[in-house]
Amino acid sequence: MRGETVRLTIGERISWYRRRRGLSQRVLAELVGRSEDWLNKVENNRIQLDRLSVIAAVAQELDVTLNDLLAEPSFVDWGPDTGQRTTPSLRATLLTYRQLVPARKKVRDLHPPEALLERVTAVWDAYQSARFGYMTGALPGLIEDLAYAVDQYDGDEKRRCQRLLALTYQASTGVLTKIGEADLACVAAQRGYDLAEQADEPVVLTSLTRSVSHALLSAGRYSDAVDLIDNAPSTVGTLDSTSSRAFTSVYGTMYLTGAIAAARADDAATTNDFLAQADVAARRLGRDDNLLWTAFGPTNVAIHRVSTAMELGNVPLALDLGPRVDPSPLPTERQVRHRLEVARAHSARNQRDEALRLVLDAEQLAPEQVRHHSLSRDLVLTWIRRSHGPQNEQLAGLAQRLNVA
């Protein structure tokens, strides 16, 4: 159904599914604790519905997934980076029975761990550069080669390949959440977590805990994600004077993910507590770093203060904090996400020109990320629906490139 609604705003999508369910506006509004007038304005684009906690509540009452309402396109364009094997190949690799029945795995070339590490690094670098097409093309073969290596090696080499495969599943989770494949992201995250446990790698296990939380977020299971992070110290431990910089980085990043989950669950107290935990870790590091591809440090904590403010509906705070954050020390994916967040805040105050400028800037940095993100597409669609008179050429061109025109 998602393909049928990709050129609709979130409000129009709610209307589409509501009618398919045979519900009146009054009934659906009551189910989510809102007024009929509010829902009417949402469905007619007079209120821009951008808080994921509210969207998830509507999705639950309509008996659809969060991504059905967000309509994130999993279609990945072919290109030099991808070839003609993208999301379907990654799906087949994650769901193949050969991963579950080792005795029936195909014989393939056995690669040394050093060569596999180079490929894992390339995939993670691509994620942080928002090259999602490259990732969907590269991940299937990498997962299969690593799974074979885990099966064939013994001792330290086997453990090293388990660690690399766990991190590859984590990268898979990341790109799958970006392109709207929430169910597959959950599969990848759980596989990575299980491998990290087998390898007895506390740093990797902490990193995969964050990955599982990301998968739960993409599925709209915010309270589950909060509980996971809240209980994580009993599994992964806590910071102390002996904690490595790598552990400190993944530990702080885990709490940033938890803060987003808590904000989407409308739990301001837990959001602030998790942000404080992340801030402690960032202060210990003393600078921005990218250990284990976390992009963690004071800047990422500041970015998440903006994001959580928006998730909690505190637009003034987001507009106060957002423009003061310089995201340039961080990888492209983080810079673009911050620009989209600040654009959302400006749009909420009807400052469309500034919001459009930020989205266009983000597109220059990472066109794939902007094309796949539900936030950028819904902003553009809403601006178009509200436009009167001659259409803004920049906006019209952006809508065409996002395939929502």
Side-chain angles (χ1 to χ4, degrees):
M1 288 187 183
R2 230 184 283 173
E4 299 178 47
T5 65
V6 72
R7 288 182 172 85
L8 302 181
T9 65
I10 291 175
E12 290 165 350
R13 241 170 263 134
I14 290 172
S15 177
W16 192 85
Y17 282 110
R18 176 180 61 75
R19 293 172 191 276
R20 290 289 296 265
R21 291 296 184 205
L23 297 175
S24 68
Q25 285 185 336
R26 179 181 61 79
V27 169
L28 179 57
E30 288 177 352
L31 287 171
V32 296
R34 300 281 181 151
S35 68
E36 183 178 354
D37 180 63
W38 173 85
L39 182 58
N40 182 272
K41 288 177 179 176
V42 166
E43 293 187 351
N44 287 283
N45 301 309
R46 283 179 283 164
I47 293 177
Q48 186 169 359
L49 189 55
D50 56 9
R51 290 187 62 195
L52 284 173
S53 59
V54 180
I55 299 169
V58 175
Q60 180 176 348
E61 298 303 336
L62 289 172
D63 193 28
V64 298
T65 70
L66 175 64
N67 283 322
D68 285 325
L69 291 187
L70 295 178
E72 294 177 322
S74 60
F75 181 85
V76 175
D77 293 332
W78 287 341
D81 274 352
T82 66
Q84 296 184 3
R85 301 281 182 185
T86 58
T87 310
S89 287
L90 183 52
R91 177 186 295 276
T93 299
L94 289 171
L95 300 181
T96 179
Y97 70 89
R98 287 195 299 274
Q99 301 289 336
L100 306 177
V101 190
R104 300 189 66 177
K105 286 181 181 175
K106 290 182 179 178
V107 176
R108 53 196 303 123
D109 292 336
L110 181 61
H111 299 275
E114 292 75 14
L116 292 167
L117 172 60
E118 289 182 6
R119 292 166 64 188
V120 173
T121 299
V123 162
W124 270 102
D125 288 347
Y127 176 80
Q128 294 195 320
S129 299
R131 294 169 54 211
F132 303 145
Y134 170 84
M135 292 184 70
T136 57
L139 281 167
L142 178 57
I143 289 172
E144 290 170 0
D145 285 345
L146 278 165
Y148 186 68
V150 168
D151 190 50
Q152 295 298 310
Y153 283 122
D154 293 313
D156 289 343
E157 288 181 319
K158 180 185 186 74
R159 188 163 172 262
R160 187 177 180 190
C161 289
Q162 285 177 320
R163 179 180 187 273
L164 290 175
L165 183 52
L167 291 171
T168 302
Y169 278 130
Q170 183 179 5
S172 301
T173 304
V175 72
L176 288 165
T177 59
K178 295 293 186 186
I179 63 176
E181 290 283 353
D183 292 343
L184 274 184
C186 289
V187 172
Q190 189 60 58
R191 292 225 177 146
Y193 187 91
D194 292 344
L195 276 163
E197 279 192 313
Q198 292 170 28
D200 191 25
E201 289 269 6
V203 172
V204 179
L205 184 61
T206 307
S207 193
L208 266 296
T209 300
R210 167 175 64 108
S211 187
V212 174
S213 182
H214 264 138
L216 292 171
L217 279 173
S218 71
R221 295 169 57 186
Y222 307 136
S223 295
D224 289 341
V226 171
D227 289 343
L228 175 66
I229 302 303
D230 203 29
N231 293 313
S234 63
T235 303
V236 304
T238 58
L239 291 181
D240 59 36
S241 59
T242 66
S243 296
S244 67
R245 291 183 66 81
F247 180 78
T248 303
S249 294
V250 295
Y251 188 85
T253 309
M254 179 184 73
Y255 274 104
L256 290 182
T257 305
I260 294 293
R264 291 181 184 174
D266 275 326
D267 186 345
T270 302
T271 299
N272 291 330
D273 180 52
F274 284 174
L275 286 173
Q277 296 274 14
D279 191 55
V280 168
R283 289 176 184 275
R284 287 201 179 197
L285 287 181
R287 67 173 188 268
D288 295 316
D289 218 330
N290 197 26
L291 298 172
L292 220 65
W293 302 283
T294 55
F296 183 72
T299 302
N300 211 349
V301 174
I303 282 176
H304 279 74
R305 291 192 188 281
V306 178
S307 297
T308 53
M310 285 303 297
E311 295 297 346
L312 290 167
N314 193 340
V315 177
L317 179 60
L319 282 175
D320 177 48
L321 297 177
R324 291 193 271 151
V325 178
D326 175 14
S328 60
L330 302 187
T332 299
E333 183 272 336
R334 288 284 80 207
Q335 294 183 46
V336 168
R337 186 66 184 86
H338 179 64
R339 281 175 169 82
L340 294 181
E341 202 65 76
V342 180
R344 172 163 66 140
H346 280 293
S347 183
R349 286 293 180 264
N350 294 317
Q351 299 164 356
R352 194 193 73 176
D353 290 346
E354 180 61 20
L356 176 59
R357 182 189 66 78
L358 286 165
V359 175
L360 290 170
D361 286 349
E363 187 193 27
Q364 287 292 314
L365 284 172
E368 283 189 74
Q369 185 174 352
V370 172
R371 183 166 64 249
H372 281 283
H373 206 291
S374 61
L375 177 54
S376 51
R377 292 196 323 280
D378 196 62
L379 284 172
V380 170
L381 275 168
T382 300
W383 296 336
I384 288 174
R385 297 291 193 273
R386 292 177 178 177
S387 293
H388 302 289
Q391 195 171 73
N392 181 297
E393 290 185 8
Q394 286 185 312
L395 178 57
L398 178 59
Q400 289 183 341
R401 294 190 296 276
L402 299 189
N403 197 31
V404 296

